[in-house]
Amino acid sequence: DGGKLHEGHMAQDVNKVMGEEAAPKGKMINLEHMAATGLAAIKEVAKGQEKMHRRILRLEDVKRRA
């Protein structure tokens, strides 16, 4: 690579962490798979946030009634 500075993910690292589907043979990154994985993670975080929000609302209601 002639000593060039690289930015972003390296395919070998993505392969180690996320497996063959994300970075086949550590040669390239499957951006479609990465995008789908990221979207699934965002959805899970959003579900957790909604659950916490509902809990806070219930606790605030209990506090108001006390």
Side-chain angles (χ1 to χ4, degrees), residues 17-55:
V17 174
M18 299 185 73
E20 280 297 307
E21 193 171 347
K25 299 180 183 174
K27 300 289 183 185
M28 59 182 258
I29 296 173
N30 179 338
L31 296 179
E32 188 174 311
H33 177 77
M34 295 291 288
T37 301
L39 182 58
I42 290 168
K43 286 179 179 180
E44 287 300 312
V45 169
K47 277 194 231 176
Q49 192 232 0
E50 181 59 32
K51 189 176 180 181
M52 285 188 288
H53 179 70
R54 286 192 305 269
R55 183 173 183 216

